[in-house]
Amino acid sequence: MALFARKGFSGKVLVVTGAARGIGAGVARAYVAKGGRVALLGLEPELLEALATELGPAAAWWEADARDGRAMTAAIDAAAAHFGRIDHVLANAGIASYGTVRQIDEDSFERVIDINVNGVYRTLHASIPHLEKSKGYALVVASLASFTNLAGLASYNASKAGAESLALVARQEVAHLGVKVGVAHPSWIDTDIVRGAEADLPTFKVIRGKLPFPANATTTLAECVDAIVAGLAKRKTRVYVRRGVVVANWTKPLVNSPIGWAVMRPQLKKHVPDLEREVAALGRFQHAHVPLTDPKKPVVEEPEGP
């Protein structure tokens, strides 16, 4: 680490998806502060341009939708041409939707899967040829939700479990190329998505507060950024934010066992109906920062309980 502290990311180039705000923007700032250069990809051109201006010549930006494979490939190829290389990739673009499986509409569910899983595939698929040249490293941002399911976030949990599996299989597939792939598991980070979910759904905050540590705690964005930047530097297989998230990985079989279900079921019977009513009253499945071209109001019958 002493060598890293002196040299940082000097001469290296990072591609960040979902770079306009939150974790993506924070990692981009930290990477440049340590001497690297960054390609900022995302869907909010005003924010991307402002961040690139802030970071100066070490940064450039491209508007690209993680749902569009051609756009992602074109942006990543352009970034490689602009900077001359790609050494690191942070597959960070992701969204969340509210609603149980019986409640959420098909378009909203598929949108989350398409961005959080297919978007990771599109990012890796376009990046691997460039990473092969640099013997580089890609880090996929999954979640604590890869291990810990939470009612009312069906699409998000499914997508983050899928993102983890995709990262791990990609790691196997590119090892012979000298490329390494890792997966990051942030817990609840103090970002727009988490703050918005707690404001939109009071019962979500109640349920989260009853979970064991660290699932009941909120981690600062700065702590998350530091962990991810260290993961990039060390080419880690796993990045846990906070470190205690590793326990959720180890104890996943217990949580999903008959013993775990016996503990969970009474709380679910109490809180899931409240969650569904709150989502129905909210009138949308997406967080306020997720633009909808065709918003649909959720409708749910009065639940009888699990």
Side-chain angles (χ1 to χ4, degrees), residues 100 102-103 151 203 207 265-280 300-306:
T100 59
R102 74 167 183 158
Q103 183 181 36
T203 300
I207 294 174
R265 191 176 188 278
Q267 294 298 320
L268 295 171
K269 188 172 183 179
K270 177 181 179 181
H271 292 304
V272 169
D274 291 336
L275 269 175
E276 290 187 323
R277 280 190 288 268
E278 288 170 3
V279 173
V300 63
E301 298 176 357
E302 193 67 20
E304 297 177 358

Side-chain angles (χ1 to χ4, degrees), residues 59-277:
W61 66 277
W62 288 265
E63 184 176 2
D65 189 343
R67 296 172 296 173
D68 185 337
R70 290 184 179 179
M72 289 295 292
T73 298
I76 290 169
D77 287 349
H82 178 83
F83 289 113
R85 60 187 296 129
I86 293 174
D87 301 278
H88 297 107
V89 172
L90 184 66
N92 170 69
I95 64 167
S97 288
Y98 311 142
T100 59
V101 171
R102 74 167 183 158
Q103 183 181 36
I104 189 172
D105 69 57
E106 184 176 358
D107 289 344
S108 297
F109 190 95
E110 288 185 348
R111 182 183 176 90
V112 175
I113 300 299
D114 198 19
I115 293 173
N116 294 6
V117 182
N118 299 342
V120 170
Y121 152 74
R122 295 176 186 117
T123 302
L124 294 176
H125 181 75
S127 301
I128 287 169
H130 302 291
L131 293 175
E132 182 181 0
K133 295 175 184 177
S134 64
K135 307 304 178 188
Y137 169 76
L139 183 62
V140 173
V141 178
S143 173
L144 168 66
S146 301
F147 323 123
T148 305
N149 301 319
L150 194 61
L153 295 173
S155 56
Y156 186 77
N157 277 272
S159 71
K160 290 304 183 178
E164 179 201 19
S165 292
L166 181 56
L168 294 177
V169 75
R171 174 183 170 83
Q172 296 175 15
E173 293 172 348
V174 299
H176 71 286
L177 302 176
V179 177
K180 188 170 181 181
V181 178
V183 55
H185 298 281
S187 59
W188 306 102
I189 308 301
D190 185 23
T191 60
D192 292 333
I193 289 180
V194 173
R195 290 192 296 269
E198 292 191 341
D200 286 339
L201 306 173
T203 300
F204 165 74
K205 186 174 183 179
V206 171
I207 294 174
R208 195 165 73 86
K210 295 181 179 180
L211 296 173
F213 182 84
N216 61 357
T218 299
T219 303
T220 66
L221 179 60
E223 186 176 349
C224 181
V225 167
D226 287 346
I228 287 177
V229 169
L232 291 170
K234 297 177 182 179
R235 297 164 60 96
K236 285 189 170 184
T237 301
R238 299 271 190 175
V239 176
Y240 296 105
V241 188
R242 303 175 176 175
R243 291 182 180 178
V245 172
V246 68
V247 176
N249 190 359
W250 294 342
T251 59
K252 183 178 178 180
L254 177 62
V255 172
N256 294 315
S257 71
I259 295 173
W261 178 244
V263 173
M264 293 168 56
R265 191 176 188 278
Q267 294 298 320
L268 295 171
K269 188 172 183 179
K270 177 181 179 181
H271 292 304
V272 169
D274 291 336
L275 269 175
E276 290 187 323
R277 280 190 288 268

